[in-house]
Amino acid sequence: MKKIELLAPAGGMEAFRAAVENGADAVYLGGSMFSARQNADNFTIEELKEAVDYAHQRRVRVYVAVNTLVSNEEVGHLIPYLYQLAQCQVDAVIVQDLGVAGIIRQGLPQMELHASTQMAVHNSQGIKFLEERGFSRVVLAREVSFENIKLIRERTSMELETFVHGALCICFSGQCLMSSMIGGRSGNRGHCAQPCRMKYSLVEKKGKLLAQPDIIGEHLLSPRDLKMIEHIPELVAAGITSLKIEGRMKRPEYVATVVRNYREAIDSFYQDPEKYSVAPNWEKELEQIFNRDFTTGYFFNNQGKDLMSYKRPNNRGLLIGRITKVKKDIIWVKLTEPLTVGDGYEIWVSKGGRIAGELKELFVQGQKVAKADSGQEVSFKVSGSPRIGDRVFKTHDTELIQKARESYLSPKVTRKIDLFLELDIEEGKKIKVKAEDSEGYSLELWGDFVVEKAQKHPLSIETLQQQLNRLGNTPFQLARLKANICGEVMVPVSELNQIRRNVVEGLLKHREEEFTKNFPDKKQYLEAIKELDRTIPRPKPEKVKPLLSVTVGNPQGVQGALEGGADLIYLNWVGLKNKPFFNLDNIGESIELCHKKKVKAIIRLPRLVYDRELDKLAKDLRHLQKYDLDGLMAGNLGALNLARQMGFKNIYGDYPLNIFNDYTIRQLLNGDINQVTLSPELTLEQIKKFSFLGNFPLEIIVHGNFPLMISEHCVVGSVLGNKNSQNPCKGACAGIEAGLKDRMNFIFPLEMDNNCRMLVYNTKPLNLYKDLKEILTSGINTIRIEGRKENARWIKTVTQIYRKAIEDWVREGNRWEPNQRDWKVFEDLEPAGYTTGHYFRGVL
């Protein structure tokens, strides 16, 4: 049985060596460009080449993350960069952007493609879509449960990778706009500002507290860290290919410690699967090196508040005891774990926050000591005002850190490959060498020197051992030497040294050949890219009368959009709680009503649909086909592929597909899409430069509020409904208009959908009315109003204003200007004001 892969992170060269030396089967890292962890050290091309050679010599694979969204103007830098990765012989490229994948598949067909978790792939239909495009592996969304992983495994042979340890995102990866919208730093572009780790309070619409922060905690979007070491058997049984550790921003000591413990755990399981259990030291070391408390995420069920670290967003450390006595600035603690001078500590005081520091001196029964063991009572000096009973945590363990450092810095500790040598040495002949390592690589070679009869000091086995064992920084160690020495002979030391070097070089070459791919030369590569470029049309910006589309969440919204003058209406299939919503009966009536008004009705498919729900969705769509649907809108690859598979002809690509460049549109055209909504993180100037502008229907959102986050975790249900791993929520959101208030007193409205997912909306809706002239002259085919959570009056009012603006612009041309009376209507609808999103500021 092939062992499950252990995949480790590396933000720099030291972390890379830490991963390899502690047992990783593969390492993922970022290069100098297009990496979703731009704040990590990352690797230059020279460092990457060194890392790949180092890894391949030790039979470790290297995957490079090119997992950001790439704009059209960046493609010129992307193309040579991808070829540099190929020259480095990396084993796979991890991508988020379908356009990037298309370029790789066209120019470097030998390159292995892995779908980043940023693609939010969470069902077998999405995987089938990627299989058609040459992907060999998918990193599943963190929210996919064991139940759904097993269904996916039954329905696809694709390699499956899943996170098993480290930080969790509260939002579906690749679906978060919160960082960019509130701070101009896009997580999709590698610059996440981590708004989920900031402080929030749960409030009602006007700001009244719904929960007391001092009781619940203030970090309402901050998840605990994932830890699945207890569940290695289930992970293997589910058919997962690779276990991924998060942590490209973590220090090398963290990487070393986590990788070593998971390596030991995996090896332990395969040695005796029936008796697998977690060793106590694994648990303690993982907790000590970094934790926000631990969770199993969504693998088993929705954990509710047990998923979250509401009271602190950073490292908790390891509990080592409670204060037993306080005298002035000295505390006494009965230890439950060892403590050493130089360790970091933190006291969770009952009042006044935290007391933290580094242990300078340590006393046992009044005697100064360097270290104290579990069970002893120690005393040491602290600041602040601690109390008896306060908990003390060790946040930095000097011995653990030293152990981790030695694992990748000390030649005495680093992993070595056993080398077995056999030499035939006979006077008048050249030395014959047979070499083999413990992993089965072998070679035979002959020396250059013709062996001579010894005059003074015959060659001994001790001399051979001494010279051939000088393997220094190579990955080998001499495990066995057999020498067949005939008579008393002489061989120069220089000859033995050369033989040693030739053996090492030969074996390393054999080992590297296993990983070598025959990529095309650069000229062939660039010519192949030109062939792809020829399939992308020249832009034809021309004056077009754009269609007006409106997203609605219920039949009343349909009526408002029709009365307001919409050309297309997107009927959102998943409803919002506390609001009317569509069902199989009334959605049919809404479609027929649209057709009577000669308005297109398009079903907006669920943004998230797991495998256990796919069959039900397909059944419902077959029922709706009788209404002569005008099309389906898909916001994820699984829904898109299901629509294709069912034979729907008019498929609209929604903005959660993160369409950022022409190459992505090219890929989606092969997926039968006939209109796309561009990413809301693009600027208007970037949109104007799309080559498909004027050649293919492009849509942008111009008005309304849409989710910045979509999450399986519901703050309202967990905080007010007491939902946890044992207790379900009892409808805590019923009748509540809730929001998250940040430290600047901005309130982000919350909505819960009918699947109990939480949607976090922006504090201010988008409004591009004042900039509509520039949009109307851009050549965009459709402009959209987002009204899913709005009432019929709002939808009718806003739609009427944009309808009138389009008609007036068609009639008046460049003389048209925004109407002040209409702007006053907008101000009355939203007194707190509006945002223009990224259309003019962009993302960094």
Side-chain angles (χ1 to χ4, degrees), residues 43 81 103 105 151 157 159-160 163 202 230 261 319 341 516 540 621 648 669 673 698 741 773:
F43 289 71
Y81 175 66
I103 292 171
R105 185 52 56 237
L151 289 172
S157 60
E159 289 186 359
L160 304 178
F163 283 94
L202 183 63
E230 297 93 337
N261 282 284
L319 179 66
V341 172
T516 301
K540 294 192 301 186
L621 289 176
F648 284 94
L669 279 174
I673 278 192
L698 304 182
K741 185 167 75 171
K773 182 191 290 188

Side-chain angles (χ1 to χ4, degrees), residues 786-805:
E786 273 291 322
R788 177 187 179 187
K789 73 181 187 71
E790 311 299 343
N791 60 41
R793 175 181 168 276
W794 185 99
I795 291 171
K796 177 181 176 181
T797 300
V798 173
T799 305
Q800 281 179 328
I801 292 174
Y802 278 92
R803 175 81 275 158
K804 179 176 179 293

Side-chain angles (χ1 to χ4, degrees), residues 659-693:
I659 299 157
F660 221 74
N661 57 63
D662 285 302
Y663 295 86
T664 300
I665 297 175
R666 175 72 268 166
Q667 288 289 297
L668 290 171
L669 279 174
N670 297 336
D672 301 326
I673 278 192
N674 62 344
Q675 177 180 294
V676 295
T677 306
L678 299 178
S679 167
E681 290 189 320
L682 289 164
T683 66
L684 192 55
E685 286 304 311
Q686 288 175 313
I687 290 167
K688 289 177 179 179
K689 294 175 183 176
F690 267 71
S691 292
F692 275 100
L693 196 65

